Amino acid sequence: MAQQVRGVVAPGKNEPVRVETVIVPDPGPGEAVVRVQACGVCHTDLHYKQGGINDDFPFLLGHEAAGVVESVGPDVTEVTPGDFVILNWRAVCGSCRACRRGRPWYCFDTHNATRKMTLEDGTELSAALGIGAFAEKTLVAAGQCTKVDPSVAPAVAGLLGCGVMAGIGAAVNTGAVGRGDTVAVIGCGGVGDAAIVGSRLAGAARIIAVDIDDRKLETARSMGATHTVNSSTTDPVEAVRELTGGFGADVVIEAVGRPETYRQAFYARDLAGTVVLVGVPTPDMKLELPLLDVFGRGGALKSSWYGDCLPSRDFPMLIDLHQQGRIDLGAFVTETIGLGDVEKAFARMHEGDVLRSVVVL
Ligand code: APR
Ligand code: ZN
Ligand code: ZN
């Protein structure tokens, strides 16, 4: 039987979001209905609302979520009702070339639930990032659910569904930060701070945080940065070189998404160092680099997609590390809010004092 729940809907481009009644159908083959317990507010939700992603309005927002599987459709083997799960953007096929080569995050045949959630009048909703979890319940593909230790706070678990995983994975997976490395992180919002946590976890000896906002640098220090550089007053490339005997960092992680910070990341790396781009550029952005600098300095320029994570490996591992007190994912939860506060949380994003507002249900 289809169910009625409350959910946060973006009705049209730049219109304020509204809490609406959402109809959640029963799960079909390969699908699951999840009772959402927590869902973080991410920039991507704001981009959906602004029409920056596509125009398939109305959207059911929210995609950084954890909850309990309520029911599953026929033939579902991945999860069973009662499982505590973190949701991820897409289920992977497991059999395409990318999946077979151990790179499921580049799967050619990812999927979400095929049935649609609707408004009361039957209007189909587009689920943000194939999830739609600012809602009491949501319908997803069973393969989007990863089971983790249920004793963790849902507000913490949900974070791994997007930004925090992207940042930790940029350091640990994409950048392959190693014991004793020097890492520079440019841009210390939620993603950059998570990259700092990941670098520390990987055993980095020095972590240089770069931002234009002193408050962000203070938080970065509490997350594990050993040095800070305010790049509105100091040239960050010079500063990183100075701190590394004139060389540069072994791994530089860019978590802003602007050409000038991409450039800084490129020049702040040591010879043969790795640059990891996590900040998402807009389609019009270009980066021009002298080829001799690319060639002559060696190393690698990588982009990181969802932290190159394997949800089945990384979600349970990071939850375990958090439960053991070896990383503190709770530090990313600035405030917990209700479904009616998402619009306010969007406004607070620009004020710069929030890492994550998390809707708790
Ligand atoms: N140089 C250094 N830091 C900057 C600059 C700059 N020119 N411009 C902005 N910043 C800092 C901000 O002060 C802020 O601390 O970058 C940080 C960005 O943080 P958030 O806005 O909180 O964004 P976040 O959620 O961390 O995401 C960062 O990663 O995954 C991508 O789409 C995401 O592109 C975005 C980026
Ligand atoms: Zn997100
Ligand atoms: Zn695949």
Side-chain angles (χ1 to χ4, degrees):
M1 264 255 299
Q3 310 183 59
Q4 291 196 352
V5 301
R6 291 184 314 134
V8 178
V9 172
K13 198 174 169 125
N14 277 324
E15 287 175 37
V17 300
R18 292 201 292 253
V19 178
E20 299 267 11
T21 298
V22 172
I23 313 294
V24 181
D26 281 345
E31 295 176 346
V33 168
V34 174
R35 183 164 57 76
V36 179
Q37 293 178 308
C39 184
V41 183
C42 173
H43 284 86
T44 306
D45 293 305
L46 179 59
H47 294 154
Y48 271 109
K49 174 196 132 153
Q50 293 169 331
I53 299 198
N54 62 53
D55 285 328
D56 296 336
F57 288 99
F59 289 108
L60 178 60
L61 298 181
H63 62 273
E64 213 175 78
V68 175
V69 175
E70 183 187 73
S71 56
V72 298
D75 307 326
V76 168
T77 53
E78 291 92 337
V79 283
T80 50
D83 284 351
F84 178 65
V85 296
I86 298 176
L87 301 180
N88 69 73
W89 304 339
R90 290 172 197 91
V92 298
C93 79
S95 57
C96 72
R97 182 169 174 270
C99 283
R100 281 189 282 110
R101 299 181 87 203
R103 298 174 189 150
W105 48 93
Y106 295 114
C107 173
F108 306 145
D109 196 18
T110 57
H111 65 285
N112 302 124
T114 42
R115 295 177 181 213
K116 291 278 183 191
M117 292 177 277
T118 63
L119 292 173
E120 273 179 299
D121 66 2
T123 309
E124 287 191 350
L125 290 163
S126 308
L129 279 171
I131 295 179
F134 288 148
E136 290 160 325
K137 293 177 187 179
T138 190
L139 175 75
V140 293
Q144 288 178 266
C145 301
T146 304
K147 201 176 159 178
V148 297
D149 178 353
S151 60
V152 66
V156 165
L159 298 173
L160 291 180
C162 187
V164 170
M165 186 66 245
I168 294 181
V172 174
N173 296 332
T174 319
V177 169
R179 200 162 57 237
D181 278 355
T182 294
V183 180
V185 176
I186 302 180
C188 300
V191 174
D193 280 344
I196 291 172
V197 168
S199 300
R200 185 178 175 186
L201 184 65
R206 282 194 287 179
I207 303 170
I208 305 166
V210 179
D211 204 290
I212 50 174
D213 183 338
D214 279 329
R215 290 171 306 168
K216 297 289 188 168
L217 292 172
E218 213 172 290
T219 314
R221 224 176 241 284
S222 73
M223 296 281 181
T226 57
H227 300 76
T228 56
V229 176
N230 187 322
S231 57
S232 65
T233 50
T234 308
D235 177 351
V237 176
E238 288 302 315
V240 170
R241 291 214 180 134
E242 228 163 79
L243 289 164
T244 51
F247 293 108
D250 299 298
V251 180
V252 186
I253 298 169
E254 198 277 1
V256 184
R258 302 182 57 83
E260 66 266 28
T261 43
Y262 270 45
R263 177 178 297 276
Q264 290 164 0
F266 179 78
Y267 284 106
R269 83 185 196 282
D270 194 358
L271 291 166
T274 302
V275 181
V276 180
L277 309 174
V278 204
V280 181
T282 54
D284 56 301
M285 288 180 184
K286 289 199 168 59
L287 178 65
E288 238 183 82
L289 293 169
L291 271 175
L292 255 186
D293 289 349
V294 179
F295 181 79
R297 297 178 65 82
L301 187 61
K302 294 174 139 189
S303 64
S304 184
W305 181 236
Y306 209 159
D308 288 338
C309 75
L310 277 175
S312 57
R313 174 195 64 193
D314 295 338
F315 291 179
M317 171 188 74
L318 291 168
I319 293 298
D320 285 349
L321 290 171
H322 171 78
Q323 292 297 74
Q324 293 163 14
R326 292 162 70 189
I327 54 174
D328 178 15
L329 299 178
F332 289 90
V333 182
T334 311
E335 58 172 359
T336 55
I337 60 173
L339 283 176
D341 304 320
V342 169
E343 194 62 55
K344 258 188 276 169
F346 284 150
R348 282 199 71 184
M349 279 181 166
H350 302 296
E351 292 165 13
D353 57 346
V354 175
L355 286 179
R356 272 298 185 265
S357 304
V358 181
V359 172
V360 173
L361 292 153

